Amino acid sequence: MASTVGGGTAGCVLANRLSEDPSTTVLLLEAGDVETKFPSVDVPLKAMETYSPETNWGDYTTSQNAACQGMKHNRCFLARGKVLGGSSSINDMVYARGQAVCFDRWETEEDCDGWGYEDIKEYFKAAEAYQNEDLVQAGERCNQGNELMIKSIHAGELGETFLKAAKQAGLPALNLSDSRSNEGSSRVHATVNNGVRWSTAKAYLRPAIARHNLHVATGSHVNKILLFNGKGIGVEFVRNGTRKQVGVKREIVLSAGAIGTPHVLLMSGIGPREHLEEMGIKVHADLPVGEGLFDQMTLNDAVRFTTNQSAGITFQQANKLSNRIRYNLFGRGTLASNNFLEALALVKSNKSPGVLSRALPADLELFAISSLLGHFAASLGLIKNITNLEDGVFEALFSDLVGQDGFSIGVVDVLPNSRGVVRLKSRDPTDVPLIDPQYFEDPADIKRLLKGIRAAQRIGAMASLRGFGSKPVIRQHPSCSDFPFNSDAYWECYIRHNARPASNFGGTCRMGSPSTNSTVVDTSLRLLGLQGIRVVDASIMPTPVSASPMAATVMIAEKAAVMMTQPSNAKSDH
Ligand SMILES: Cc1cc2nc3c(=O)[nH]c(=O)nc-3n(C[C@H](O)[C@H](O)[C@H](O)COP(=O)(O)OP(=O)(O)OC[C@H]3O[C@@H](n4cnc5c(N)ncnc54)[C@H](O)[C@@H]3O)c2cc1C
């Protein structure tokens, strides 16, 4: 028996791949519920409605020193899926592998042998089933029998115009499926199939769920791993209020995500000695679990334009009866796509001419967002709630724009320098851990977002986007009114106050060489110092990749499954 803790993005991939062998019994333990219970999980345009506690852990950061200054108690809201499919059941569905150079750096700079782009490419391909002919070509090979349906979303008028404007601003067309190209603009590729979100629960778990050797237990919160003689021998979990234990013959795989996995490991006595001793927990392995936490910060409401013709979609329009009928009957229309994110651009903040710059990945991602609020398809109450903004900030930045036509150009710092930490708050396993991402502790992250704002403004000022009759929105953040609007100092203040987490976490159980102090798992994803435990999720990423991380997480799970089932075929398994 192999036991997988966490039925999220990676966990569902593993549940399918490991149970392909009828002689292997797999138990999938998931704290959340069954995803099919929640219609909002399926409807792409309702992504923000999955922010309810039924499907989302809904954590907050600890009080931040350099970021979240405009949020109550300087704490930012964090999203993460608590449902089968995990964060792939609540995310924005944007699919991008990430640029080759980022994975090459894992191999050359982070000692992750076998994880360079040429080695891992086949694991992306093992998952991807591109739906559009142009993507099939660009993806070099595409197996329609693969699990993960990916579609190039039809960009609406805003998206197409943004792509023209990006070209006018000097950004070439970008081929997202060819990860060697690293600056330019593109339609959004999304994990959507026939108008339905294609989470890994839909893609991998549902087709396998009837297998006699796969057992899925939802509502099962894993407290800790059970250890004996330096080996993981089982897990303890709580289901329906009852504490249970299950023995594991083969391997325990932790796929509880970059917050959940370090939480379970720390509870099990696997982590930094000093912290565990301080918490009164017996130390089984002294490892830097929970350190190296990274996330990507976003600004969706800095660069906004009102228009005198319809460019975006308002909450009211999307929810019109005709749109709902079209979706319910035919799976089509506005609700069927995630085209509140209509198009994207990858931009390098530090351009130096010549060969060297080609080797640099783009470190900023821009999105054309068809809403003036920076958030789409969510009620105002929900937006207020999830942003955790100080009283008065929401009113100053948004309230008189509600219902108006317009669009935003969002900015994401995809390669942040700042690193934070996940620590235990208490010895109660149901107590949310302390999540301290230390956003902007490295000021280079603020400078990068500032460059992103300037790049977004450049694109927004191009003739094609001005064709909407667009006018920049000028709304002063109340805490930054000492600085002239649009000065660098103003935006730096705005970034510290109003940038928000993308909740694209990683880095808390870093993969690397066993001889390096920061390593938690080796390149086979085996936990150092103990036997029978692997970590397979976004937490093993040693550094961020220049994209949203779901694609890379699926790739990690595909590669892990091969390492576990056919070790001789997986280069890094030893
Ligand atoms: C709101 C949001 C939008 C995003 N948008 C995008 C996007 O558009 N594109 C993209 O590429 N990426 C996006 N991401 C990021 C991406 O979805 C994640 O990086 C990726 O899905 C992480 O996968 P994972 O397997 O590591 O963790 P998860 O998918 O989060 O899975 C972890 C699972 O473990 C379960 N779990 C945790 N603790 C326990 C426990 N103690 N016991 C039992 N179960 C437990 C959780 O409930 C969850 O189901 C987004 C993320 C969020 C939150």
Side-chain angles (χ1 to χ4, degrees):
M1 153 112 81
S3 176
T4 302
V5 175
T9 309
C12 288
V13 176
L14 285 170
N16 180 318
R17 294 293 185 236
L18 298 181
S19 65
E20 275 170 5
D21 173 1
S23 68
T24 304
T25 304
V26 179
L27 171 66
L28 185 73
L29 293 165
E30 165 56 41
D33 212 330
V34 176
E35 87 293 0
T36 46
K37 270 195 187 168
F38 307 101
S40 55
V41 166
D42 272 358
V43 184
L45 208 67
K46 298 217 164 198
M48 304 245 8
E49 289 180 23
T50 62
Y51 276 50
S52 90
E54 288 173 309
T55 48
N56 199 318
W57 292 84
D59 313 309
Y60 289 87
T61 64
T62 57
S63 183
Q64 298 293 284
N65 290 326
C68 312
Q69 303 295 294
M71 315 321 177
K72 291 179 183 133
H73 311 293
N74 299 345
R75 298 176 71 191
C76 273
F77 177 85
L78 302 171
R80 65 186 167 115
K82 186 183 184 181
V83 63
L84 284 177
S87 298
S88 76
S89 287
I90 68 157
N91 69 13
D92 293 333
M93 294 154 278
V94 176
Y95 184 87
R97 288 183 187 176
Q99 295 166 267
V101 57
C102 297
F103 299 105
D104 289 344
R105 284 179 174 182
W106 284 9
E107 180 151 51
T108 56
E109 293 172 21
E110 307 294 335
D111 284 331
C112 297
D113 225 18
W115 290 83
Y117 187 65
E118 287 311 314
D119 288 317
I120 57 161
K121 206 157 114 176
E122 64 181 288
Y123 302 105
F124 282 115
K125 289 180 174 178
E128 293 164 351
Y130 287 120
Q131 301 296 289
N132 316 64
E133 194 48 39
D134 55 329
L135 296 183
V136 173
Q137 301 297 331
E140 298 162 56
R141 179 172 67 88
C142 168
N143 183 350
Q144 287 308 318
N146 284 351
E147 283 78 7
L148 200 62
M149 302 290 185
I150 302 156
K151 206 173 167 197
S152 165
I153 292 296
H154 171 71
E157 212 182 330
L158 169 67
E160 291 302 343
T161 313
F162 175 86
L163 294 175
K164 276 189 209 143
K167 199 168 165 199
Q168 286 160 356
L171 288 168
L174 176 73
N175 183 350
L176 279 185
S177 323
D178 164 16
S179 297
R180 289 274 165 210
S181 56
N182 55 10
E183 198 177 31
S185 60
S186 168
R187 284 181 171 188
V188 168
H189 298 175
T191 42
V192 174
N193 185 29
N194 288 328
V196 174
R197 170 197 291 277
W198 215 241
S199 66
T200 59
K202 277 272 182 313
Y204 286 87
L205 192 61
R206 292 290 146 206
I209 205 136
R211 291 179 190 158
H212 74 276
N213 57 334
L214 172 61
H215 306 279
V216 179
T218 51
S220 302
H221 185 106
V222 174
N223 291 346
K224 61 177 180 179
I225 295 174
L226 304 170
L227 296 155
F228 183 70
N229 274 349
K231 187 175 186 302
I233 54 156
V235 294
E236 176 188 293
F237 62 101
V238 173
R239 193 167 195 226
N240 298 329
T242 310
R243 199 157 56 152
K244 301 177 184 235
Q245 294 191 338
V246 61
V248 176
K249 275 201 195 127
R250 223 177 125 189
E251 275 190 287
I252 298 163
V253 186
L254 279 166
S255 298
I259 307 297
T261 290
H263 189 202
V264 174
L265 286 172
L266 293 169
M267 288 301 307
S268 314
I270 301 164
R273 174 176 296 282
E274 209 179 314
H275 174 55
L276 294 176
E277 284 176 350
E278 187 188 44
M279 300 306 296
I281 294 175
K282 185 177 172 204
V283 182
H284 291 283
D286 180 12
L287 290 171
V289 169
E291 290 169 12
L293 171 67
F294 59 76
D295 187 14
Q296 300 168 332
M297 285 296 255
T298 69
L299 272 176
N300 284 346
D301 45 35
V303 182
R304 296 180 286 168
F305 301 86
T306 54
T307 54
N308 57 16
Q309 72 182 76
S310 179
I313 324 163
T314 61
F315 178 60
Q316 289 81 355
Q317 284 159 358
N319 276 298
K320 275 198 318 208
L321 183 65
S322 56
N323 266 331
R324 281 185 281 146
I325 292 176
R326 199 163 168 226
Y327 182 77
N328 289 335
L329 289 182
F330 309 110
R332 295 219 184 109
T334 319
L335 291 164
S337 85
N338 73 335
N339 71 358
F340 50 100
L341 300 176
E342 292 216 8
L344 63 80
L346 286 175
V347 176
K348 294 179 189 180
S349 67
N350 279 320
K351 260 191 244 172
S352 45
V355 180
L356 256 183
S357 84
R358 277 205 298 279
L360 284 177
D363 50 0
L364 285 163
E365 194 170 26
L366 309 185
F367 283 103
I369 304 175
S370 52
S371 159
L372 262 180
L373 300 182
H375 290 87
F376 187 68
S379 70
L380 294 181
L382 183 61
I383 291 175
K384 268 181 114 162
N385 217 353
I386 62 177
T387 48
N388 200 32
L389 291 175
E390 292 265 21
D391 293 339
V393 177
F394 181 86
E395 288 69 19
L397 296 179
F398 297 108
S399 53
D400 61 330
L401 299 169
V402 174
Q404 279 201 49
D405 271 318
F407 65 92
S408 322
I409 302 181
V411 181
V412 190
D413 173 12
V414 281
L415 293 181
N417 296 13
S418 303
R419 295 291 183 269
V421 73
V422 175
R423 287 276 189 264
L424 294 177
K425 193 192 289 172
S426 76
R427 280 162 54 181
D428 175 355
T430 58
D431 225 356
V432 186
L434 295 171
I435 307 169
D436 180 9
Q438 296 170 24
Y439 295 122
F440 303 150
E441 287 295 328
D442 187 329
D445 291 333
I446 297 180
K447 297 281 180 212
R448 189 178 298 110
L449 278 170
L450 172 63
K451 289 191 178 166
I453 290 175
R454 297 301 184 205
Q457 288 176 329
R458 258 194 318 278
I459 295 175
M462 291 296 143
S464 47
L465 276 170
R466 282 208 317 272
F468 287 120
S470 56
K471 291 200 184 65
V473 170
I474 299 173
R475 292 286 177 284
Q476 197 96 11
H477 193 292
S479 300
C480 302
S481 51
D482 285 351
F483 305 104
F485 183 79
N486 203 28
S487 61
D488 284 0
Y490 173 78
W491 287 123
E492 289 188 14
C493 172
Y494 189 93
I495 291 165
R496 277 193 300 274
H497 282 80
N498 214 39
R500 287 193 281 278
S503 301
N504 289 345
F505 314 108
T508 47
C509 297
R510 281 175 57 127
M511 163 174 65
S513 155
S515 59
T516 308
N517 284 344
S518 58
T519 303
V520 173
V521 297
D522 65 15
T523 52
S524 308
L525 310 187
R526 290 197 178 101
L527 196 82
L528 299 186
L530 293 167
Q531 287 185 335
I533 305 168
R534 290 201 208 221
V535 176
V536 182
D537 58 27
S539 64
I540 66 106
M541 295 186 194
T543 55
V545 294
S546 58
S548 307
M550 175 183 165
T553 308
V554 171
M555 173 279 291
I556 289 166
E558 288 277 9
K559 183 168 161 77
V562 173
M563 291 194 290
M564 291 175 73
T565 55
Q566 314 155 40
S568 54
N569 288 339
K571 193 181 156 200
S572 60
D573 203 54
H574 39 253

